[in-house]
Coordinates of all heavy atoms in Angstrom, one line a residue:
K77 N -36.4 -1.6 -32.6 CA -37.2 -2.0 -31.4 C -36.3 -2.7 -30.4 O -36.3 -2.3 -29.2 CB -38.3 -2.9 -31.8 CG -39.3 -3.2 -30.7 CD -40.4 -4.1 -31.2 CE -41.3 -4.5 -30.1 NZ -42.3 -5.5 -30.6
Y78 N -35.4 -3.6 -30.9 CA -34.5 -4.3 -30.0 C -33.5 -3.3 -29.4 O -33.1 -3.4 -28.3 CB -33.8 -5.4 -30.7 CG -34.7 -6.6 -31.0 CD1 -34.6 -7.4 -32.1 CD2 -35.7 -7.0 -30.0 CE1 -35.4 -8.5 -32.4 CE2 -36.5 -8.1 -30.3 CZ -36.3 -8.8 -31.4 OH -37.2 -9.9 -31.6
P100 N -17.2 11.0 -10.0 CA -16.1 11.2 -9.0 C -14.7 11.4 -9.6 O -13.9 12.1 -9.1 CB -16.2 9.9 -8.2 CG -17.6 9.4 -8.4 CD -18.0 9.8 -9.7
K110 N -7.1 22.2 -6.5 CA -7.6 23.2 -5.5 C -6.8 23.2 -4.2 O -6.3 22.1 -3.8 CB -9.1 23.0 -5.3 CG -9.9 23.3 -6.5 CD -11.4 23.1 -6.1 CE -12.3 23.4 -7.4 NZ -13.7 23.2 -7.1
L112 N -6.9 24.8 0.0 CA -7.7 25.4 1.0 C -7.2 26.8 1.4 O -6.1 26.9 1.9 CB -7.8 24.5 2.2 CG -8.8 24.8 3.3 CD1 -10.2 24.8 2.8 CD2 -8.6 23.9 4.5
G139 N 9.2 5.3 -1.1 CA 10.3 4.3 -0.8 C 9.8 3.1 0.0 O 10.1 2.0 -0.2
K166 N -2.3 -35.6 -4.9 CA -3.2 -36.4 -4.0 C -2.5 -36.7 -2.7 O -1.8 -37.7 -2.6 CB -3.7 -37.6 -4.7 CG -4.7 -37.3 -5.9 CD -5.1 -38.5 -6.5 CE -6.1 -38.2 -7.7 NZ -6.5 -39.4 -8.4
F169 N -5.2 -35.3 3.9 CA -5.7 -34.1 4.5 C -5.5 -32.9 3.5 O -5.3 -31.8 4.0 CB -5.0 -33.8 5.8 CG -5.1 -35.0 6.8 CD1 -3.9 -35.6 7.2 CD2 -6.3 -35.4 7.2 CE1 -4.0 -36.7 8.0 CE2 -6.4 -36.5 8.1 CZ -5.2 -37.1 8.5
S189 N -4.7 -8.2 13.4 CA -3.7 -7.2 13.8 C -3.4 -7.3 15.3 O -2.2 -7.2 15.7 CB -4.2 -5.8 13.4 OG -4.3 -5.7 12.0
V190 N -4.5 -7.4 16.0 CA -4.3 -7.6 17.5 C -3.5 -8.8 17.8 O -2.6 -8.8 18.7 CB -5.7 -7.6 18.2 CG1 -5.5 -8.0 19.7 CG2 -6.4 -6.3 18.0
W208 N 13.7 -18.5 25.3 CA 13.6 -19.9 25.9 C 14.6 -20.8 25.2 O 15.2 -21.7 25.8 CB 12.2 -20.4 25.9 CG 12.0 -21.8 26.4 CD1 12.1 -22.2 27.7 CD2 11.7 -23.0 25.7 NE1 11.9 -23.5 27.9 CE2 11.6 -24.0 26.6 CE3 11.5 -23.3 24.4 CZ2 11.4 -25.3 26.3 CZ3 11.2 -24.6 24.0 CH2 11.1 -25.6 24.9
R226 N 9.2 -3.4 9.8 CA 8.9 -3.7 8.4 C 8.7 -5.2 8.2 O 7.9 -5.7 7.4 CB 10.0 -3.2 7.5 CG 9.9 -1.7 7.3 CD 11.1 -1.2 6.5 NE 11.0 0.2 6.2 CZ 12.1 0.9 5.9 NH1 13.3 0.4 5.8 NH2 11.9 2.2 5.6
I229 N 5.3 -6.4 9.4 CA 4.3 -6.1 8.4 C 4.3 -7.1 7.2 O 3.3 -7.6 6.8 CB 4.4 -4.6 7.9 CG1 4.1 -3.7 9.1 CG2 3.5 -4.4 6.7 CD1 4.4 -2.2 8.7
T234 N 2.1 -11.5 4.2 CA 2.3 -12.9 3.6 C 1.3 -13.9 4.2 O 0.7 -14.7 3.5 CB 3.7 -13.3 3.8 OG1 4.6 -12.2 3.3 CG2 4.0 -14.6 3.0
M243 N -5.2 -20.1 -4.3 CA -6.4 -20.6 -4.9 C -6.4 -20.3 -6.4 O -6.9 -21.1 -7.2 CB -7.6 -19.9 -4.2 CG -7.9 -20.5 -2.8 SD -8.2 -22.3 -2.9 CE -8.2 -22.7 -1.2
Q296 N -1.3 0.3 -2.8 CA -2.4 0.9 -2.0 C -2.4 0.4 -0.6 O -3.4 0.6 0.1 CB -3.8 0.6 -2.6 CG -3.9 1.1 -4.0 CD -5.3 0.8 -4.6 OE1 -6.3 1.2 -4.1 NE2 -5.3 0.0 -5.7
T313 N 7.5 3.1 8.3 CA 6.6 2.1 7.7 C 5.3 2.8 7.2 O 4.3 2.1 6.8 CB 6.2 1.0 8.8 OG1 5.5 1.7 9.9 CG2 7.3 0.2 9.3
P329 N -7.0 19.4 7.2 CA -7.5 18.9 6.0 C -6.9 19.5 4.7 O -6.8 20.7 4.5 CB -9.0 19.2 6.0 CG -9.3 19.5 7.5 CD -8.0 20.0 8.1
V335 N -5.8 14.2 -3.0 CA -6.3 13.7 -4.3 C -5.1 13.7 -5.3 O -4.9 12.7 -6.1 CB -7.4 14.5 -4.9 CG1 -7.8 14.1 -6.3 CG2 -8.7 14.4 -4.0
M336 N -4.3 14.7 -5.3 CA -3.1 14.8 -6.2 C -2.2 13.6 -5.9 O -1.7 13.0 -6.9 CB -2.4 16.1 -6.0 CG -1.2 16.3 -6.9 SD -1.6 16.3 -8.6 CE -2.3 17.9 -8.9
V340 N -1.0 10.0 -8.2 CA 0.4 9.5 -8.4 C 0.3 8.0 -8.3 O 0.9 7.2 -9.1 CB 1.3 10.1 -7.4 CG1 2.7 9.4 -7.4 CG2 1.5 11.6 -7.6
V345 N 0.3 2.5 -10.8 CA -0.4 1.2 -11.0 C -0.5 1.0 -12.5 O -0.2 -0.1 -13.0 CB -1.8 1.2 -10.3 CG1 -2.6 0.0 -10.8 CG2 -1.6 1.2 -8.8
K357 N 4.1 -10.4 -22.6 CA 3.7 -10.5 -24.0 C 5.0 -10.8 -24.9 O 5.0 -11.6 -25.8 CB 3.1 -9.3 -24.5 CG 2.5 -9.4 -25.9 CD 1.8 -8.1 -26.3 CE 1.3 -8.2 -27.8 NZ 0.7 -6.9 -28.2
D358 N 6.1 -10.1 -24.5 CA 7.3 -10.2 -25.2 C 8.1 -11.5 -24.9 O 9.0 -11.9 -25.6 CB 8.3 -9.1 -24.9 CG 7.7 -7.8 -25.5 OD1 6.8 -7.9 -26.4 OD2 8.2 -6.7 -25.1

Side-chain angles (χ1 to χ4, degrees):
K77 187 179 176 183
Y78 286 145
K110 291 182 178 179
L112 186 63
K166 292 180 180 177
F169 307 115
S189 297
V190 171
W208 178 68
R226 286 173 173 163
I229 290 173
T234 305
M243 286 300 174
Q296 299 179 61
T313 59
V335 173
M336 180 60 74
V340 173
V345 169
K357 188 178 179 183
D358 292 342

